[in-house]
Amino acid sequence: MSNVYNVELQNRLQQYVDEVGSQKAAAKNIGFNNGTVISLYLNSNYGRGSVFGKGDLAGTEQKIAEFFRIHDARKEQPAVSSPQAVDPRRYAPINVSESIYRDISYCQLVKGMLMITGAPGIGKSMAARKFWEDNPGTAIFIEVTPVLGVLSRFLRMLANELHIMERMEQGALVAAIEARLRGTNTVLIIDEAQHLKFSTSEEIRNWSQPHPKTGQAGVGIVLIGNPVMEKKMKSGRHAGPYEQQRSRSRTQRYDFKDTTLDDIRMIFPGLQGKEHEREARLMLAISHTWAGIRNAAILWNDAIKDGGVDYATLQRKALNEGILVA
């Protein structure tokens, strides 16, 4: 029995591939492991002797159709389709982000280790990702989780980024990574670095220092994390061992209050004029609380969904979230 394809769905998928630029990107967004499924499906070859010969065409089409249902519904939401909507994932050249971008650039030039600490949601990660996107040939960006902070897992993750074979003895893997990094202009950016275990951060520190025998320069390493990262180095059971890292690294600290009124006017459409000064200052006050810029943007979009971004609506949304501002 031959497969019967949904031609309308195939055409819609082809349009989406054209929009995002590649079958690989489309596959990733939809939830497939690679672009091969997309290619086979678009060419009506799904199940014809390929590695997907036993594939479930009906299930594949259902997955694609569900993706477009959610995709279209999201675009119709006022908080997404409105010209006033804010994308919290989009980089904005605000005060904190631009300063961190320069910090990373400087670390790449002078090498060594730099710690960037600051409250959540103020633009640290966005700046790091922006630098990585602008410098894909000389920047490596890794986001650590509590699981990936263990040395063995971190090494495998980094080896994968460097296209080094992961399946080797740990000492050999460390040597291979260090050899790949030393003497280059690479800057290694590690986000959520508060999750790094002590042994992991110690190994990383060694890469940032000149080689003890050859004198070969280390590599620029930027650790980005919340205040817990710095606190861990100054107190607790590892405070003593962390002394080496603390003494051989530079630190830049950022806070909620580093966000400026100009930042607010840049991020939130419609707040540029003097007639919206009250709303702008309210959003600034919100960003100076635990909410930060990130949650302020989410609150803004929720206000759009509820009917508008007037002062009363914004203040009510803030109070509902437990954000106490005047």
Side-chain angles (χ1 to χ4, degrees):
M1 180 178 176
S2 61
N3 290 325
V4 178
Y5 290 81
N6 183 332
V7 177
E8 183 178 350
L9 186 61
Q10 284 178 307
N11 292 337
R12 177 68 195 280
L13 179 58
Q14 183 59 63
Q15 292 175 359
Y16 183 69
V17 169
D18 294 340
E19 287 175 15
V20 299
S22 70
Q23 292 180 354
K24 182 178 180 180
K28 180 179 179 181
N29 293 345
I30 295 172
F32 295 119
N33 291 333
N34 55 58
T36 306
V37 173
I38 301 293
S39 175
L40 292 172
Y41 178 71
L42 288 176
N43 289 287
S44 301
N45 287 328
Y46 195 89
R48 292 187 178 180
S50 71
V51 293
F52 299 98
K54 296 182 180 179
D56 178 7
L57 176 60
T60 297
E61 287 195 327
Q62 181 178 356
K63 185 170 185 175
I64 296 171
E66 287 180 2
F67 169 78
F68 284 124
R69 177 182 61 78
I70 296 171
H71 178 268
D72 294 344
R74 182 177 291 117
K75 290 175 67 174
E76 292 172 2
Q77 282 291 331
V80 176
S81 60
S82 169
Q84 291 186 313
V86 175
D87 185 352
R89 302 164 298 176
R90 181 175 298 173
Y91 177 81
I94 60 176
N95 181 45
V96 170
S97 296
E98 288 288 273
S99 182
I100 291 175
Y101 191 104
R102 292 191 296 271
D103 292 339
I104 297 172
S105 180
Y106 181 73
C107 184
Q108 183 178 39
L109 295 176
V110 302
K111 306 186 185 302
M113 183 181 283
L114 170 66
M115 289 195 303
I116 297 176
T117 69
I122 59 175
K124 304 187 305 297
S125 297
M126 297 301 296
R129 288 183 176 276
K130 174 64 173 173
F131 189 93
W132 169 55
E133 291 169 358
D134 289 349
N135 303 274
T138 56
I140 299 171
F141 177 84
I142 288 179
E143 184 173 344
V144 181
T145 66
V147 171
L148 295 174
V150 177
L151 179 59
S152 59
R153 293 167 183 158
F154 178 85
L155 291 174
R156 290 197 297 270
M157 179 172 59
L158 179 55
N160 184 60
E161 291 289 331
L162 294 171
H163 306 292
I164 295 173
M165 185 176 66
E166 305 169 32
R167 298 180 181 275
M168 62 174 75
E169 185 269 330
Q170 186 164 291
L173 187 56
V174 168
I177 291 173
E178 185 173 359
R180 182 69 60 87
L181 293 175
R182 278 196 183 276
T184 71
N185 290 319
T186 301
V187 59
L188 174 58
I189 308 167
I190 304 172
D191 197 16
E192 302 294 343
Q194 70 271 9
H195 296 310
L196 293 174
K197 302 303 181 185
F198 173 72
S199 59
T200 310
S201 54
E202 266 295 271
E203 198 62 61
I204 291 168
R205 177 184 65 82
N206 290 333
W207 303 339
S208 71
Q209 302 301 307
H211 194 280
K213 292 183 178 179
T214 66
Q216 186 180 34
V219 68
I221 295 177
V222 180
L223 304 181
I224 300 177
N226 62 30
V228 171
M229 179 174 69
E230 188 176 7
K231 183 179 180 181
K232 187 165 62 173
M233 290 192 174
K234 293 183 176 180
S235 62
R237 66 189 183 92
H238 281 317
Y242 271 117
E243 182 64 33
Q244 289 278 12
Q245 295 176 33
R246 194 164 65 242
S247 66
R248 286 174 167 78
S249 64
R250 306 180 301 279
T251 304
Q252 293 285 6
R253 302 175 183 86
Y254 294 92
D255 187 68
F256 292 122
K257 294 190 182 301
D258 290 322
T259 300
T260 69
L261 190 58
D262 286 340
D263 292 337
I264 296 297
R265 291 179 174 131
M266 179 191 305
I267 293 172
F268 299 103
L271 295 187
Q272 289 78 14
K274 287 188 176 297
E275 65 273 22
H276 299 296
E277 182 78 7
R278 194 179 182 208
E279 288 82 2
R281 291 195 175 277
L282 174 61
M283 293 305 296
L284 177 65
I286 291 170
S287 73
H288 283 178
T289 69
W290 59 264
I293 281 286
R294 180 171 57 216
N295 287 297
I298 294 172
L299 183 148
W300 174 270
N301 288 339
D302 284 348
I304 293 174
K305 177 175 66 67
D306 285 357
V309 287
D310 58 280
Y311 185 90
T313 302
L314 291 170
Q315 187 178 53
R316 185 180 72 253
K317 297 296 294 184
L319 290 173
N320 288 343
E321 294 296 327
I323 303 171
L324 303 178
V325 290

